[in-house]
Every structure is written in C-alpha cells, then in structure tokens.
Amino acid sequence: MTDLLQQLRTAVGSANVLTEAADTAPYLTDWRKRYHGRAQAVVRPGSTAEVAAVVQACAAAGTPMVPQGGNTGLVGGGTPDERGNSVLLSLQRMNRIRALDPDNDTITVEAGCILQQVQQAARAADRLFPLSLAAEGSATIGGNLATNAGGTQVLRYGNARELTLGLEVVLPDGRVWDGLRGLRKDNTGYDLKQLFIGAEGTLGVITAATLRLHALPRVQRTALAALPSLQAATALLNQARAAASATLTAFEVMSDVCLRSVARELPQQRLPLAPDTAPWFALLELSDPDDEARASALLERLLGAALEEGLAVDAVIAQSLAEAQALWRLRESIPEAQAKAGGNVKHDIALPVSRVAEFVASTNAALAAQFPWIQPVVFGHLGDGNLHYNMQTKPGTPLATAFAHERAINEVVHPAVAARGGSISAEHGLGQLKRAENRRYKSEVELALMRSIKAALDPHGLMNPGKLL
Ligand SMILES: Cc1cc2nc3c(=O)[nH]c(=O)nc-3n(C[C@H](O)[C@H](O)[C@H](O)COP(=O)(O)OP(=O)(O)OC[C@H]3O[C@@H](n4cnc5c(N)ncnc54)[C@H](O)[C@@H]3O)c2cc1C
C-alpha cells in the first residue's frame, strides 16, 4: 500500500477508501457513458475536516484530485482521465442540512446533499428552493454549484449562482475558506464565492453552501400548447411575460421529434397532445402566491388569445396536480428517452431569446444541406434563450454516423452560435467535452484572466486537471 493510501485511510477510515474495481467503477464512468477514467482510489470523506485532510495529503503527494457529487454531469467534468494517478473525491457522504433560517430565508447545506433533499427540506419549512432539473433525484448541491446549474425555473429565480449567498470551500492546498454568509448585501471586497460557482471543481472543493429560499407559491397552473413555429413560441413567451410578469415561472419548448422520441422510448408516458398536432410545443407554468382563480383565468386568457391569433393550434391546461406533474414528466423525460435511443451529439447553447427562432431555422438548413441524414432533436428553456440543440440521425441511418461527424457538426453549430452573440455552454459547463472548443470562442484576454485565477488558487494544477481550462 502506498503512503498516500495509508494517509487517506487514516483520514476517512478504510471503509471510505475504495480501490477495488467493482467498487470504484460507478464513479469512473460518466452519466452518458462517454468517458471512462481511472483513479488510485475513490475517497468518501464525511466532513469538511476530512475533505481538508484528504486534500492536504493529495497536495503533499502531488496527486491530482477530481471532486464528484451525483455524477450526473453531461460534459465529463467529474470523470478522471485515464492515467490512473488521481484520487476521486466523492462528496456523497456530506449530506447534512446544517441549518434552516426561515426569517432570513436561507438554508445551509453540505455539498453532498441531493438537490431533491434540499427542495424537500425547504418545503417542510413552507419555503421554496427553486432550483429544479431532471436529474434532481441524484445531482448534489456541490455539483449544482460547481456547474452553475440552470434548469426549468431560471426564468423566475435565476440559476445556481443567483441562489447562492455563501460557500465553504476546501482550497487546493487543504485550507478551509469559511464564506458561509447569509447576506444579501456585502460589499467588503471581491465576491470570492463567484469564483467557485461554475468552476467545475478546478479551483477547490465546495463543502457547504448557504442558499437563498423563496416564498412557496400556493398555486401552480401548468399548460402544454401546440405551436405552429418557434417564432410563435417566442411571441407567446413575450405575451406570457407581459401578462404574468413574475408569476410566469417556466416556459419550456420542445419539438415534435422530442415528443415522438418519448412516446417511442418510454411508452408508459401519456401524451396529452399528439406529436403530429404541431412542429413545436411549449410548457408554461404560472405560480401565484395564493389566488387559484386569478392564475387559472390568466392562463386561459393567454392561451385563448394565442389560439385566436394563430400563435397556438391547440392547448391543454392541467386540471390537477397529477396532470401537471405528468406534463412536467413529459418534458423531463426527453434526455432519458434520448439516452435510451442511443444518445446524440449534444449542444447546450445560449442565445439572445430574440435570435433563437432564426438561429434554429438557419442552422437546421445549413446542417441539412451538409448532412442530409441529420435529425435535430431540439428542446430547452426558451425563456432563458437556452436550447438543447441535439443531433441524431433520421431512420435508416445508423446513429454512429452522427457521432462520427461530431466535429463537423460542431463546426456548423458553434460558429452560428458565436455569430449571434451566444454561448457554446449555457448550463452544463465545459468539462472535458468542450474544453478545447471553448478556447476558440473566448478572447485571449479572457483566457489569460481565467488562467491567472487558476494559477493563483491552484498553482500546481492538481484540482480537476484537464477540465474547463
Ligand atoms: C437527465 C439529466 C437532466 C439534466 N438537466 C439539467 C438541467 O436542466 N440544467 C442543468 O444545469 N443541468 C442539467 N443536467 C446536468 C447535471 O445534472 C447538472 O450539471 C448537475 O448540477 C450536476 O450535479 P452532480 O452532483 O451530479 O455533479 P457531478 O456530475 O458529480 O459533477 C459535475 C462537475 O462538478 C464538479 N463537482 C461536483 N461536486 C463538487 C464539489 N462539491 N466541489 C467542487 N466541484 C464539484 C465535478 O468535478 C464536475 O466538474 C442534467 C443531467 C441529467 C443526467
């Protein structure tokens, strides 16, 4: 046994240092089964002090560390490389809710808390923790913050960054920074927590966070509308914003291809509108503090006007919580249906909302001209200008063809995004998948600033190497 393994066992107990292939395997492959890494060991600390001891031991040995939460990331950020010299640091055992302060509307949780656990703890105190995404039953707060996760409620509540007031971080040399402040105002220098949010574990290990809570809406009304075009979706979004203001809490879009994929791969899902009804569908959610009649009337008026003006061709409004949940399940099943179908070439892009429809029309056409077999599978958070602009193949062409052309497809998609002032990673991060590609779309000045920050915090490059930068 090496000295380092001995020190790790002393720090966290032998049962929490995994070295057998059967035990480490689930940690070494990503959710999409695209990346397969190796590690000296998987270490599962149970407290901040244990994380600090692990990091100190690894730093002294010059051993790279890869933080990991729920391992649901989509860009290979939590998977070590194939050299096998790193230690995978799993935060899953750090899953305690440390404090909930209803008067301050904050909750302080450890990084390994599952997102759903935090939502439930807030709800039990009659509060809302609004971060919500399809992987919420497995993803952890640490992973959510490290990727600055978005999800379905960003339109109203912002992404993980906007929901974070304070952080506790173990730095790459093993020191602990306690920045767990629950303040809305604090102008006492650089806002250090922002460095670690979205850093994908390259600057330190997040061990706890103080998160912002919101009032729990008493009433939620959900509808699915069938739309003739993406332009119509944008127009409907604007009308919904104008009419509902802050009570519009979600506006998601999905193409008919997405619904067909869910129907085919997950036949237990019921589709309230047939995929043939229209080329696009929008899922709208209104959340009202307490007035059911007001929310229902607003949604009916909005959809009635949309049908009259031709912005929608059909619509259903959920009549019960179960029906609303079924509509959300439909939307949230799209990634699972795609994974079951064998995956696709993914693009998680952000654009100004005003340019989304035109981007999709022109990029779909450019791709079809170059790759006649291509089948776009497009869905996402239209309210945030964030599309999952994914590519699979039409029936008759093997899926492998899409993967074989991934680079060429990216050569069409990413410049089109950049030309419209967009981003090649809206909410999933860069990880291993987009690390190199990102260099083409950031200025030298921006890259130099990022490298300076990395060098200042992690001069030996031990924290999640090969990711992001
Ligand atoms: C079905 C599905 C749907 C999804 N939908 C969305 C969505 O709508 N919006 C969205 O934003 N994402 C989405 N994702 C992506 C993913 O769920 C999120 O990125 C999530 O926040 C990752 O959390 P995790 O705990 O699984 O992180 P992991 O996958 O374990 O890690 C992700 C990154 O964070 C780093 N990291 C993890 N924990 C820590 C820590 N404590 N300290 C420092 N670094 C850390 C890792 O090194 C890695 O770089 C989805 C994923 C799936 C599978």
Side-chain angles (χ1 to χ4, degrees):
M1 192 194 309
T2 64
D3 283 354
L4 176 62
L5 281 183
Q6 187 52 54
Q7 287 171 36
L8 296 176
R9 290 196 161 112
T10 306
V12 300
S14 298
N16 293 309
V17 179
L18 314 179
T19 52
E20 294 297 323
D23 299 329
T24 59
Y27 300 87
L28 300 178
T29 297
D30 70 315
W31 189 84
R32 292 175 70 194
K33 313 247 178 301
R34 188 179 168 130
Y35 296 101
H36 306 280
R38 291 170 55 228
Q40 290 190 48
V42 170
V43 184
R44 293 164 41 89
S47 67
T48 303
E50 287 187 9
V51 174
V54 168
V55 172
Q56 260 163 27
C58 290
T63 296
M65 292 155 265
V66 181
Q68 191 184 89
N71 199 16
T72 68
L74 297 174
V75 291
T79 312
D81 63 26
E82 287 163 4
R83 283 179 298 169
N85 62 335
S86 50
V87 160
L88 190 137
L89 217 160
S90 166
L91 278 292
Q92 280 173 336
R93 284 182 61 234
M94 287 197 62
N95 58 3
R96 277 168 306 157
I97 308 277
R98 288 195 189 162
L100 195 150
D101 182 347
D103 289 340
N104 194 41
D105 255 342
T106 50
I107 186 167
T108 298
V109 304
E110 292 185 343
C113 284
I114 303 285
L115 172 54
Q116 207 167 53
Q117 181 192 350
V118 178
Q119 294 166 344
Q120 284 164 357
R123 189 169 280 268
D126 208 26
R127 292 291 190 279
L128 174 74
F129 181 60
L131 188 65
S132 177
L133 42 94
E136 64 198 22
S138 313
T140 63
I141 288 295
N144 297 153
L145 300 193
T147 59
N148 185 24
T152 55
Q153 305 279 301
V154 174
L155 180 64
R156 164 69 180 88
Y157 301 101
N159 47 28
R161 200 181 284 287
E162 272 91 42
L163 297 170
T164 307
L165 295 177
L167 283 188
E168 179 188 83
V169 179
V170 174
L171 300 172
D173 59 8
R175 283 178 299 160
V176 179
W177 171 54
D178 180 354
L180 284 176
R181 302 177 192 116
L183 303 176
R184 271 92 183 161
K185 290 191 170 181
D186 179 15
N187 278 350
T188 53
Y190 302 132
D191 192 353
L192 296 177
K193 66 177 179 293
Q194 301 299 356
L195 287 178
F196 300 98
I197 301 172
E200 300 181 49
T202 60
L203 299 179
V205 184
I206 298 170
T207 46
T210 297
L211 305 168
R212 192 192 282 264
L213 300 178
H214 288 264
L216 189 63
R218 305 283 158 213
V219 175
Q220 281 186 317
R221 303 292 279 138
T222 312
L224 184 70
L227 312 172
S229 64
L230 207 42
Q231 283 93 332
T234 310
L236 180 60
L237 167 66
N238 286 331
Q239 293 189 354
R241 270 185 173 145
S245 188
T247 60
L248 179 69
T249 41
F251 194 104
E252 302 281 302
V253 289
M254 51 205 135
S255 71
D256 55 345
V257 177
C258 298
L259 290 196
R260 272 190 208 103
S261 159
V262 171
R264 196 173 47 246
E265 304 296 335
L266 304 165
Q268 70 277 20
Q269 294 270 0
R270 255 183 21 83
L271 304 192
L273 293 173
D276 292 339
T277 317
W280 290 95
F281 295 82
L283 183 79
L284 298 84
E285 182 190 76
L286 301 190
S287 301
D288 195 279
D290 56 8
D291 194 332
E292 173 129 34
R294 181 172 55 199
S296 298
L298 186 61
L299 195 54
E300 280 162 25
R301 219 172 36 244
L302 187 66
L303 292 173
L307 288 163
E308 252 172 49
E309 291 169 32
L311 292 181
V313 296
D314 203 351
V316 288
I317 297 179
Q319 298 302 323
S320 65
L321 182 62
E323 283 185 19
Q325 286 170 339
L327 289 182
W328 272 111
R329 252 197 320 278
L330 197 59
R331 159 64 185 85
E332 289 178 343
S333 303
I334 299 169
E336 190 191 339
Q338 291 191 296
K340 272 191 124 181
N344 48 42
V345 174
K346 285 193 191 302
H347 304 102
D348 163 42
I349 57 170
L351 292 156
V353 176
S354 50
R355 308 204 65 174
V356 167
E358 175 267 322
F359 163 85
V360 170
S362 91
T363 314
N364 276 1
L367 287 168
Q370 207 171 325
F371 314 106
W373 40 261
I374 216 158
Q375 173 68 75
V377 191
V378 184
F379 63 101
H381 318 292
L382 184 66
D384 319 323
N386 174 195
L387 285 187
H388 300 304
Y389 186 67
N390 299 339
M391 296 299 139
Q392 61 182 39
T393 52
K394 287 180 181 160
T397 304
L399 201 52
T401 309
F403 292 112
H405 290 81
E406 178 161 7
R407 198 180 278 246
I409 294 170
N410 290 347
E411 283 297 330
V412 176
V413 176
H414 289 163
V417 170
R420 290 165 177 83
S423 165
I424 64 161
S425 181
E427 59 176 8
H428 294 163
L430 299 170
Q432 305 183 46
L433 183 67
K434 296 186 194 161
R435 178 176 82 114
E437 189 75 353
N438 191 46
R439 281 188 224 127
R440 300 173 56 190
Y441 298 101
K442 290 259 187 220
S443 70
E444 261 317 307
V445 172
E446 207 165 347
L447 286 170
L449 281 172
M450 284 169 62
R451 287 190 198 110
S452 309
I453 292 168
K454 172 76 173 168
L457 271 81
D458 183 21
H460 305 297
L462 295 179
M463 208 42 89
N464 213 1
K467 317 291 166 55
L468 194 142
L469 270 177

